[in-house]
Amino acid sequence: MDAFCRLSGLDPLWDWNRTWYTANPDLTQCFQNTVLVWVPCVYLWLLAPFYCLHLYCHDSGRIHMSCLCTAKMVLGFLLASFGFVEFFYILLERSQEIQQHMVFLLSPIIRSMTVILALCIIQLERIRGCRSSVFLFLFWVLAVVCSLVPLRAKIQLAMDEVCTRFTAKTTVNLVFNLLQNPCPVKDASFLSKILFWWFTGLVVKGYRTPLAAEDLWTLREEDTSNKIISELQEDWTAECAKLQEKALASGAALGSRLPDQAQLLRKLQKEQSSGFFLFRTLVRKFGPYFLTGTLCIIFHDAFMFAIPQVLSLLLGFMRDEDAPLWKGYFYATLMFLLSCLQSLFNHQYMYTCFTVGMRVKTAVMGLVYRKSLVINSAARRTCTVGEIVNLVSADTQKLMDFVVYFNAVWLAPIEIVLCLFFLWQHLGPSALAGITTVILIFPLNGIIAKKRSKLQVKAIQMKFMDGRIRLMNEILNGIKILKFYAWEKAFLEQVLGYREKELKALKKSQILYSISIASFNSSSFLIAFAMFGVYVMQDDRNVLDAQKVFVSMALINILKTPLSQLPFAISTTMQAVVSLKRLGKYLCSEELKVDNVSKTPLEDVVIENGTFGWSAEGPPCLKRINVRVPRGSLVAVVGHVGSGKSSLLSAMLGETEKRSGCVTVKGSVAYVPQQAWIQNATVQDNILFGREKLKTWYHRVLEACALLPDLDILPAGDATEIGEKGLNLSGGQKQRVSLARAVYRKADVYLLDDPLSAVDAHVGQHIFDKVFGPKGVLRDKTRILVTHGMSFLPQADLILVLVDGEITESGSYQELLGRHGAFADFIHTFANTERKESAIQRDFSFMKLTFGIFGLLIFSRGDTTNTNLQNMEPVTEADQEQVPEDLGKLTEVDKANTGRVRLAMYKKYFKTIGLAIIIPIVFLYAFQQGASLAYNYWLSMWADDPIVNGTQIDTDLKLTVFGALGFVQGIAIFGTTVAISICGIIASRQLHMDLLMNVLRSPMSFFECTPSGNLLNRFAKEIDAIDCMVPDGLKMMLSYVFKLMEVCIIVLMATPFAAVIILPLAFLYAFVQSFYVATSCQLRRLEAVSRSPIYTHFNETVQGASVIRAFGEQSRFILQANDRVDFNQTSYFPRFVATRWLAVNLEFVGNGVVLAAAILSVMGKSTLSPGIVGLAVSHSLQVTGILSWIVRSWTDVENNIVSVERVNEYADTAKEASWSVDGSSLPLAWPQKGTIEFMDYGLQYRKGLELALKGITLHINEREKVGIVGRTGAGKSSLALGIFRILEAAKGKIFIDGVNIADIGLHDLRSRITIIPQDPVLFSGSLRMNLDPFDTYTDEEVWNSLELAHLKTFVSNLPDKLNHECSEGGENLSLGQRQLVCLARALLRKTKILVLDEATAAVDLETDTLIQSTIRTQFEDCTVLTIAHRLNTIMDYTRVIVMDRGHISEMDSPANLITQRGQFYRMCREARLV
C-alpha cells in the first residue's frame, strides 16, 4: 500500500509522528484517500449478496414509490455522477501521467459504483417491502464518519474543487441520514429505534391532553395473544406428549415391578409439576430474542469498563504538564462517546427484556386460561378462583421480573471479577483486601436473600395473601347473605387476621431487606476502606494520588451495581422458581379425558356398566349405571337429595372421572345447570351465546321460555345488561334465561338439571307445554330432565330412579307403579293427600323460586344502576335523566382518572403515616448524605496531599477519619430504610382497612353494578403495590435526591464554573419530568383499568366452565380472553417504552454535561489540581445517572400512588346506615313479640323514579303467619327488602314491636330477625363456622339445629363432624344439602320474626314434607312472612297479602280470598288448587 501511495506522490499509509506525537493530529493523505474511501465500499460490496438473499427470502409486499424514495434516488444519482465526473476529469487532464494518479483515479469510480449499488438495494428493499434498513443505515453512517476526517483536512488546507465535490457528497449523505421521520416502531428507522424517537409523538400527545385508550397503538402482530399462544400451545402440548411417552416407555420397561413403576410415575409427575417443562417451553419460544438483549448488555459492560480507563488517561494528562491540549479534548470526547454507547446498549437490553417479559406474561395467562377450560373437577377443587387470579397476576409479574434480572445472575460475578482485576492493576495485591471484603459480604446477603425469599414467597404470597384474596372473593360472591345475617364483622375479623399475619411477615422481610440495602450501599466504602487501608499500611512509599483514588472509586462504583443486583437477581430467580412450580403444578394438573364421552351414530345417549367418581381416589359417586336413551325421548331422573342425579348428567357431559364402562352421546349437547350460570352481558347476548340472531326463532324461544313478560318490564328489553352472576335477576329469570340459551342452540341432546325449580306454577306449566312437552319446541329432541317434581312424570317416556348413586328402577310411569316398588310407595304416599293438592304434587318441590331478592323490582321499575338509601347524597340531574342508550346499562366500567395524581392522594398517604415520623426520616437522610459528602471530600484532600520523600504524612489519621465517616453512613442508611419500610406498613394497613370497611359498608346496589374483578384487583394488585412498590419507590427517590444534593455540593466546591451547566440542566430536567410523568401516569392508569376485565373474565369462565364445555364454546371464550389481555398490553407496552425514551434522551443530555465538565477541566488545567479534577469529573459522571433515576423513581412513586387513588375511590361512594347506633336503648331480647307495622310505607330504588311500594299500611300481629303473593314485579320481595333495610324508606315507617327500624343500627336490626333466602350460599371454612361465625352457640345447640334441619345423620357420618371443611361456595355439598344448612342457620338463630323465600328450593318430596312440618312446629310462636310462589305452602296461613304494582290489592285469610273470587282466586285456579 505504501508503494501504491508513493507512486501517486503521497505519504506512507501511517505516520505516528503526524497522527499521535503532535500538537495538531491528522491522518496521512494516503490513508484518507484509500482506507477511508474503500472501507464503506468494501463493507457494502462484501455484505450485499447476503443481504439480497435475506430480502429474497423475506417478502413483505411491495411498497409504493414515495416522494422520499424519489428524492433519495435523484440525490444518489447526483452523488454517483460526481464520482464519474471526477474520474473522467482526471482521465482527460492527466492522461499522460496516469500511472502517477492511480489513487485519485480509482477512489471516485469505486465510490460511484458503490452508490449505484446502494441505490439498487434501496429499490430491492422497496420491492420486497422492507421499510427500515439497518444494513444501509450502517453504510451511510460509515461513509459519513470516513468522510469527516478528509473534510476537516480539506477545509483546513483550502483545497481545490475536489474538496467541493467531497463536501457535496458528505452533505448528501447527511441529508439521507436525517430524512427519516420518527414514527411507531414498525416503520421506524434504525436511528429512531435505538434512540426511541418513534415514541416522542405519544409523549407529546400525552403532555397536551390526557391519553385515552383510543390514543394507544395496536399491538404488533408478534406481541398479540393469538400469535404467541398458538405457537406456544403447540410446544407445550409436544412437551406434555413427550412426558407421557416417557412415562409409558418406563412403565413398559419395568413390567411387573408395580411399586417401582408407581414410584417412577410419581417422580415424573413431580418433575413435571416443578415447572421445569414450562420453563423449557418458554425458553424455546422466547430465548432467541432474549439472546439479542444479552448481546447488548455484554457490549454495555465493555463500554462501562472502558470509561475508568479513559478517566485514568485524563487524570494522567492533568498531571503531565507537557502534554498537548488536544489529548485532553480527545479523552473528554472519548469519555462522552463511551458514555453514549453505554446508554444506548443498556436501554436496548432493557427494552428487549421488557418486551420478552410482556410476551411471557401473555403466554402464561393464555396457558392458564386454556387450562381452566379443561381442568377436571378433582384438580379444580384444589385451587380456588382467587388462587387462579393470583396465578395470572402475582406469579406472571414474578416471571416478568425474572426475565429482566436473570442475566445479572451470571453477568454480575463476571463484572465483579473484572472490577477486581482492574483494581489489582492500580493498587496491586491490596486489591485482595477488596476481594476478601466481597467474600465476607456475599454470604451475609445470600442468607438474607434466602430468608427473605422464604418469608415473602411462602409466607406472604402463597399462604396469607392467597388466603386473604380467596376469602375476599367469597365475601364478594356471598355479600347478599352477609348483609341479611349481619355477618360482616365476623368476616371482617377473618380478613384482618390474614392481613395482620401478612404484614407481620412483610415487616420481617423489610427489616432483612434494610440490612441488605445498608450492606450494599456501604459495600463501596467497605471495599475502598479495606483496599486503601492495606495499600497505605503495606508500605510507606505507597501513596494515594488522584489517579489511584478516583479511578479506583470509579471501579468500585461500577462494582456496586453487580453487588446490588446479584442478591436481588438471586431472590427474583428464587421467587420465579416458586412461581414456575405453582404454574407448572396448575398447568400439569389432570384434565378432563377426551374419551370420557365418545360420539355414536346410534342411539342418542348410552351408558354401559358405568362407574364414575369426582376424583380418581375415594368412593364413586355413581356405580353400575346402565342407561339407553332412544332418540327424541323425554327421560326423567328422580331421587333424594345427594342421590347422584346431577352427577349422572355430569357423567354424560364427561365432567366426571370415568372409572369403568362406556359413555356415548350422539350429536351436539345443550346443558342447563342446576344453578343458572349467567354472564355479565345483555339478556340477548346470554341467550344467543355467540350464535347469529335469527329473529323468528329467537322470538319463538323467548315466548316458549316465558321471557316476553320479563322483557316488557326490563328497562331496555333484551338489551338490558345483566349484572355479574345474574345479581339483578330473580332466580326464576336467571333459570329461564339459562333455559332459553339451551333452547336457542337447536342441539341434538338436552341435559336439564332441574330447570323448573325456580319458576312459578303457571310459568312451569307454560314452559313444560311449550318447551319439553309433546307439543313443545324440543319435542323431536332427546331430553334428559332431572326433577324433584312428580306432575310431569306420567308424560315421560322413561323414568330413572337413583338411590345412593345407583339406578334402582327404570321404566315408564305406569311400569314403575305396576312394580309396586319403592317408587310406587313414594308416589302413593303423596297421591293420597287431599284431592285439591293433586296439583301440588305436580309442581311440588320444583316450582320454587331461588329468587334474586334484590333484582326483581330493579327491573320492574326500569332502573338498574344504583340504590338510593336515605342517608345517601342527592343524585345529580344527569343521573336522574339517563340517556336512552344507557338505559339497559348496569355494570360500571372501571374508569381511569386523567391528568397528574392529585396532591390529596399524597397528603392522604403521608397523613396515615404521621408527621412525627416523617420529619425525623428527612433529617436521618440528610445526616446519611452528609457523612457521604464528608468522606468523599476527605478522599480528595488526601489525594492532593503533597508527597515528601516519596511518602504522605498522617496516613493513619486520614484512614481512621475516612473509616469513621463511612461506618456512620452505613448505620444511617439502615435506619432510613427500616423507618420508611415501617411507615409503608403503617400506611398500607390503614389503607387496606379503609378499603375493606368502604366495601363492606356499601349497599347491595354497589355490588350489582361493580364487577367483582374490579374489587379483587383493588385487594390484590393495588394493595400489593401499596405494600411494596410505594415504600420502595420512596426509598429510591429520597436516596437519589439527597445523593444529587451531595454531588452538586462536591462539584460546585471543586469547580464553581459547573454551576453554569448544572442550573440550566436542573430546569431542563424539571421540564422533562413534567413532560414525561403526565404520559407515564396516564399509561399506568389505563393499564390498571384494562387489567380488571381480565380477572373478571377469568372468574366468570372458571365458574361457568362446565356450561362453556357443554356448548363447545371454548374457542370463542379463548378469543375473548385474548382480546382482554391484548387490550391490557396495548397500554403496558408504551408504559415501559416511555421509561426507555426518558432514560436514553436524558442520559444523552447528561453525557453532554460530562463532556462540557471534562473540557472545562482541561481548559483550566493550569489552575486545577488533579484531586479536584478527579473529584469533579468522577462525580459529574454520576450526575446523569442520578438525575435519570430521580425522574424514574419519582415517576414510579407517582405511578404507584395511583394505587392509593384507586383504593380510595370507594371512600366517596354511597354507604349504608350505621351498623350500630351509640347509646341505643334497644332491649337485648327485642323483638319479644314479633309484631310488624307498616305506616304509609313507600320505597323506591332511586330518587326520581316511580315508587316500588306505594302507601303500604299494614299491621302484622305476633305469631301470625302471613303469605305474600303476586305476579312478577308486583312488589312482594320489596317488602322483605324494606324490613331488612336493604333499601331505605322513601316515605313512611316500619315498626317492629313498636320500635321504628330506621332509628336503630343495621346490625341491631338484621341480627334480630331472620331470612332464609333463595341462594344457599356457603363459605370456605368449617361447617360450624358457616352456621355460627360468631361462635355464640354451644355445640349442643348446633347439633339440635342440624337435627331439626334433617342434616344430623349426614354430618355425623362425616369424618370431621362439625369441623368438616366446606370448599369455596360449598361445592363439596349438594345444592339441597346447602339449602338445608341455610335452614339450620335459621333454626339456630330462632328469632321472633322469620322471612321465608321458599326454604325447600332444591330438596326432594320427602325432605320437603319434613321441612314444612319443621317450620310449622319450630316457628309456631314466631311471626312468619313467606314470599310464596307455591300457593299450597300458605293455604293454612292466617293471612295472605296479594301484591299488585306496589299496592296491596287483597288481604284476608286464604279461604275468604277464594270466596271473594278476586286475584288470589285466579292464581289458585291456575295452580289447580280450586
Side-chain angles (χ1 to χ4, degrees), residues 500-515:
E500 280 308 309
K501 289 173 186 173
E502 187 181 348
L503 290 178
K504 188 178 177 183
L506 182 65
K507 188 177 180 181
K508 287 180 184 175
S509 172
Q510 288 294 344
I511 289 170
L512 289 170
Y513 187 46
S514 300
I515 296 170

Side-chain angles (χ1 to χ4, degrees), residues 752-766:
L752 311 159
D753 198 348
D754 210 2
L756 302 178
S757 61
V759 295
D760 296 328
H762 67 286
V763 177
Q765 185 64 51
H766 170 91

Side-chain angles (χ1 to χ4, degrees), residues 584-755:
K585 182 183 176 184
Y586 180 75
L587 291 174
C588 295
S589 52
E590 289 193 26
E591 298 180 3
L592 292 167
K593 295 187 177 73
V594 182
D595 62 352
N596 277 351
V597 177
S598 56
K599 297 297 178 183
T600 177
L602 304 172
E603 291 170 289
D604 278 11
V605 180
V606 178
I607 303 178
E608 293 178 349
N609 199 25
T611 302
F612 306 91
W614 286 109
S615 60
E617 292 87 31
C621 60
L622 296 169
K623 46 190 180 290
R624 292 184 286 279
I625 301 295
N626 286 285
V627 176
R628 194 171 291 274
V629 180
R631 179 181 175 81
S633 58
L634 172 62
V635 179
V637 182
V638 297
H640 294 290
V641 169
S643 60
K645 302 183 295 297
S646 297
S647 299
L648 182 63
L649 294 194
S650 295
M652 293 173 180
L653 287 169
E655 296 286 322
T656 54
E657 186 81 22
K658 185 177 71 175
R659 298 187 183 177
S660 65
C662 174
V663 182
T664 53
V665 176
K666 180 185 178 183
S668 58
V669 175
Y671 172 53
V672 181
Q674 192 170 14
Q675 279 188 301
W677 174 72
I678 303 295
Q679 283 186 275
N680 179 201
T682 63
V683 176
Q684 179 175 296
D685 289 340
N686 269 279
I687 294 171
L688 298 181
F689 206 52
R691 291 298 175 98
E692 186 182 350
K693 183 178 179 180
L694 305 170
K695 286 186 179 179
T696 308
W697 175 241
Y698 177 70
H699 189 271
R700 192 178 169 194
V701 169
L702 291 178
E703 193 275 329
C705 295
L707 278 169
L708 290 176
D710 297 284
L711 295 185
D712 291 339
I713 59 172
L714 296 183
D718 63 357
T720 303
E721 184 184 1
I722 304 175
E724 225 180 320
K725 303 186 187 75
L727 256 177
N728 52 336
L729 288 183
S730 73
Q733 287 168 328
K734 283 192 281 188
Q735 197 63 276
R736 279 179 279 139
V737 169
S738 178
L739 181 62
R741 175 201 295 147
V743 175
Y744 188 81
R745 184 52 61 128
K746 292 185 178 177
D748 298 315
V749 177
Y750 282 82
L751 304 179
L752 311 159
D753 198 348
D754 210 2

Side-chain angles (χ1 to χ4, degrees), residues 992-1057:
H992 178 268
M993 171 68 91
D994 291 347
L995 173 64
L996 188 58
M997 289 300 295
N998 285 331
V999 168
L1000 289 181
R1001 290 201 60 248
S1002 296
M1004 271 309 301
S1005 57
F1006 169 80
F1007 298 97
E1008 289 169 7
C1009 60
T1010 307
S1012 62
N1014 293 6
L1015 294 169
L1016 273 181
N1017 192 24
R1018 301 295 192 278
F1019 282 100
K1021 189 84 175 178
E1022 310 300 350
I1023 289 293
D1024 187 47
I1026 294 168
D1027 282 349
C1028 303
M1029 306 299 288
V1030 174
D1032 287 352
L1034 284 171
K1035 284 176 205 170
M1036 187 185 291
M1037 190 185 74
L1038 285 170
S1039 64
Y1040 280 115
V1041 165
F1042 280 95
K1043 181 69 177 173
L1044 177 64
M1045 291 167 64
E1046 176 204 342
V1047 170
C1048 289
I1049 291 168
I1050 285 176
V1051 172
L1052 291 171
M1053 282 169 62
T1055 51
F1057 54 78

